[in-house]
């Protein structure tokens, strides 16, 4: 038997909603059963509505990195020059795939407690008019920082380049949608703010991006990495390229119903409120937030610097062992420098934030309600 999990205030995977867990237990249908095919088409439509997109989204059958890598493989051709915007670990990581498929990768990087300035993007595009694709991680989770996507999207659209965005840990937790932000390929996940399980990539592709992908002879075809293979997979009679992860699709369906049922705006407000309580509580304890400015903080993750005398694992372990609360460590460049409190999906609850702050105050022996220098 698996142990009972602690209260997971992690940055993904997150605790799945009970309705999502129940959906995972539905009977497995045969993928060519017309009943499953019409159910699948319904899920695609629910996802399209959640994304507020015109084109039907694509679901790929693997955790979100699959979707990000597939987007790079499909869109970036051998003549493309990619401007990769880097404000954190995930943004940096995209360069590996961009370099594999494109002609050149130009990097615009800022320190990992900072965010990308849209004016700097405008300047980079002015200096290199040959840039054809721009890539951005919206919320770079290992830093808990949020990039100004809509403003950057407007700058990229003005230039005419394509825009690929990793919105894995922001979509569903705040007002972010591909069309408003001029995003050509928008990748997200069920296992962050939607409160479902890790196992699928959710991808929205613009009409013009589909046209570019279809014209790209190097875009994977007949491969597990093939975005094209899933295009129109929900249309009647179209075969799936491989068997969909049936149970994961059930779980996603339940998560999308919860999202629509609660109302997207209400879900975002719950995330924003939880984040605010978390930030205020940490500051009241005299702790320091990792992002350089308060307004850089994401509404779905709060990263804070380690208090004196604690390593990341020591503080994480005490929170887990003494209080049953699990936080996330940093990752790659931010590892060892911070801890992260996730408020995504079912864990975006003000009471959970208060529980985490109370636990921290006990470990640090700093009573709440007192100010610290
Ligand atoms: C969670 C996450 C992903 C998914 O990738 P993993 O590294 O496998 O968790 C991708 N991008 C971002 C920004 C994420 O937070």
């Amino acid at each position: 038997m698996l142990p009972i999990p602690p209260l997971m205030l992690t940055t993904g995977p997150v605790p799945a909603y009970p309705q999502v867990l129940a959906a995972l237990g539905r009977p497995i249908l045969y993928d060519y059963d017309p009943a499953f095919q019409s159910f699948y088409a319904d899920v695609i439509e629910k996802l399209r509505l959640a994304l507020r997109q015109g084109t039907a989204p694509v679901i790929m059958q693997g955790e979100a990195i699959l979707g990000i890598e597939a987007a790079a493989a499909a869109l970036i051709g051998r003549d493309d020059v990619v401007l990769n915007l880097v404000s954190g670990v995930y943004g940096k990581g995209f360069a590996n795939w961009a370099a594999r498929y494109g002609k050149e990768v130009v990097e615009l990087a800022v320190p990992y407690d900072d965010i990308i300035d849209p004016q700097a993007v405008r300047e980079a595009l002015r200096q290199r008019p040959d840039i054809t694709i721009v890539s951005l991680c919206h919320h770079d989770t290992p830093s808990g920082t949020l990039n100004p996507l809509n403003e950057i999207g407007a700058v990229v659209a003005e230039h005419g380049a394509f825009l690929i965005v990793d919105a894995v840990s922001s979509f569903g937790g705040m007002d972010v949608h591909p069309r408003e932000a001029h995003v050509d390929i928008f990748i997200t996940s069920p296992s962050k703010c939607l409160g479902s399980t890790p196992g699928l990539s959710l991808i929205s592709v613009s009409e013009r991006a589909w046209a570019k992908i279809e014209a790209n002879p190097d875009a994977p075809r007949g491969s597990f990495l093939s975005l094209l293979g899933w295009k129109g997979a929900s249309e009647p009679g179209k075969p799936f390229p491989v068997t969909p992860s049936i149970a994961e699709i059930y779980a996603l369906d339940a998560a999308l119903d919860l999202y629509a049922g609660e109302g997207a705006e209400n879900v975002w407000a719950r995330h924003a409120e939880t984040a605010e309580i978390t930030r205020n509580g940490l500051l009241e304890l005299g702790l320091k937030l990792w992002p350089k400015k308060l307004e850089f903080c994401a509404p779905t993750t709060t990263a804070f610097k380690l208090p004196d005398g604690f390593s990341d694992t020591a503080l994480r372990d005490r929170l887990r062992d003494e209080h049953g609360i699990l936080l996330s460590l940093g990752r790659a460049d931010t590892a060892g420098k911070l801890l992260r409190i996730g408020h995504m999906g079912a864990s975006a609850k003000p009471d959970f934030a208060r529980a985490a702050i109370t636990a921290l105050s006990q470990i640090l022996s700093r009573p709440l309600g007192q100010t610290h220098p």
Side-chain angles (χ1 to χ4, degrees):
M1 270 301 278
L2 277 168
I4 293 176
L7 176 59
M8 299 205 314
L9 304 185
T10 46
T11 56
V14 301
Y17 288 104
Q19 295 90 330
V20 166
L21 296 178
L24 285 165
R26 288 181 200 159
I28 298 300
L29 288 175
Y30 179 58
D31 59 337
Y32 284 109
D33 182 338
F36 180 78
Q37 290 183 318
S38 89
F39 170 78
Y40 190 86
D42 286 348
V43 177
I44 292 286
E45 179 59 8
K46 288 177 191 179
L47 181 58
R48 187 186 71 75
L49 291 172
L51 288 161
R52 302 189 175 174
Q53 178 62 299
T55 52
V58 159
I59 301 174
M60 288 183 82
Q61 317 300 311
E63 189 273 342
I65 293 292
L66 171 64
I68 299 170
E69 191 173 343
L75 193 73
I76 304 174
R78 57 181 81 173
D79 295 329
D80 284 310
V81 177
V82 179
L83 173 64
N84 190 37
L85 306 175
V86 178
S87 61
V89 173
Y90 283 98
K92 180 83 186 169
F94 189 79
N96 295 330
W97 301 310
R100 190 196 291 160
Y101 301 109
K103 184 164 99 183
E104 187 187 341
V105 181
V106 179
E107 187 182 272
L108 193 170
V110 295
Y112 289 4
D113 58 354
D114 204 345
I115 59 171
I116 303 286
D117 176 2
Q119 290 311 323
V121 178
R122 174 170 282 123
E123 183 52 28
L125 292 171
R126 201 189 57 76
Q127 279 179 18
R128 291 291 305 264
D130 57 336
I131 289 168
T132 46
I133 297 176
V134 178
S135 50
L136 173 76
C137 178
H138 183 212
H139 165 217
D140 217 305
T141 328
S143 316
T145 48
L146 190 74
N147 281 304
L149 171 58
N150 286 2
E151 292 78 0
I152 292 170
V155 168
V156 174
E158 223 173 82
H159 176 85
F162 289 83
L163 178 59
I164 300 177
V165 172
D166 169 348
V168 170
S169 60
S170 56
F171 175 76
M174 60 176 292
D175 185 1
V176 59
H177 302 93
R179 205 158 40 173
E180 281 124 65
H182 303 281
V183 180
D184 290 289
I185 306 190
F186 182 95
I187 305 108
T188 192
S189 158
S191 68
K192 306 272 168 112
C193 304
L194 289 174
S196 189
T197 52
L200 300 175
S201 294
L202 314 177
I203 308 153
S204 168
V205 184
S206 70
E207 292 286 2
R208 66 174 199 142
W210 277 128
K212 176 165 166 46
I213 293 167
E214 271 159 1
N216 176 11
D218 300 326
R221 291 164 171 88
S223 153
F224 200 72
L225 208 54
S226 166
L227 196 57
L228 275 173
W230 288 97
K231 183 171 192 252
S234 62
E235 285 160 19
K238 176 135 196 250
F240 295 112
V242 296
T243 304
S245 307
I246 309 282
E248 301 283 341
I249 304 288
Y250 294 158
L252 172 64
D253 177 60
L256 291 170
D257 283 349
L258 288 168
Y259 186 67
E262 185 176 349
E265 282 78 4
N266 298 329
V267 177
W268 309 334
R270 178 160 60 75
H271 282 75
E273 186 192 354
T274 309
E276 193 184 352
I277 291 169
T278 306
R279 290 191 298 263
N280 290 343
L282 292 170
L283 293 171
E284 203 185 329
L285 286 176
L287 292 167
K288 292 190 173 64
L289 302 176
W290 171 262
K292 208 162 96 181
K293 293 188 180 165
L294 197 59
E295 61 266 32
F296 296 173
C297 292
T300 59
T301 294
T302 301
F304 63 97
K305 295 182 187 170
L306 296 170
D308 290 339
F310 284 93
S311 70
D312 58 344
T313 49
L315 188 54
R316 190 264 321 258
D317 292 348
R318 282 196 57 188
L319 280 162
R320 192 189 193 288
D321 298 343
E322 296 171 17
H323 298 274
I325 293 175
L326 184 63
L327 304 189
S328 290
L329 303 174
R331 188 157 171 168
D333 287 48
T334 68
K337 299 176 183 157
L338 50 78
L339 279 183
R340 296 177 292 155
I341 305 179
H343 10 89
M344 298 181 183
S347 71
K349 261 179 108 164
D351 280 352
F352 292 169
R354 292 186 190 103
I357 298 300
T358 303
L360 274 167
S361 82
Q362 287 180 16
I363 291 171
L364 302 172
S365 302
R366 291 180 193 167
L368 286 162
Q370 289 184 10
T371 46
H372 294 268

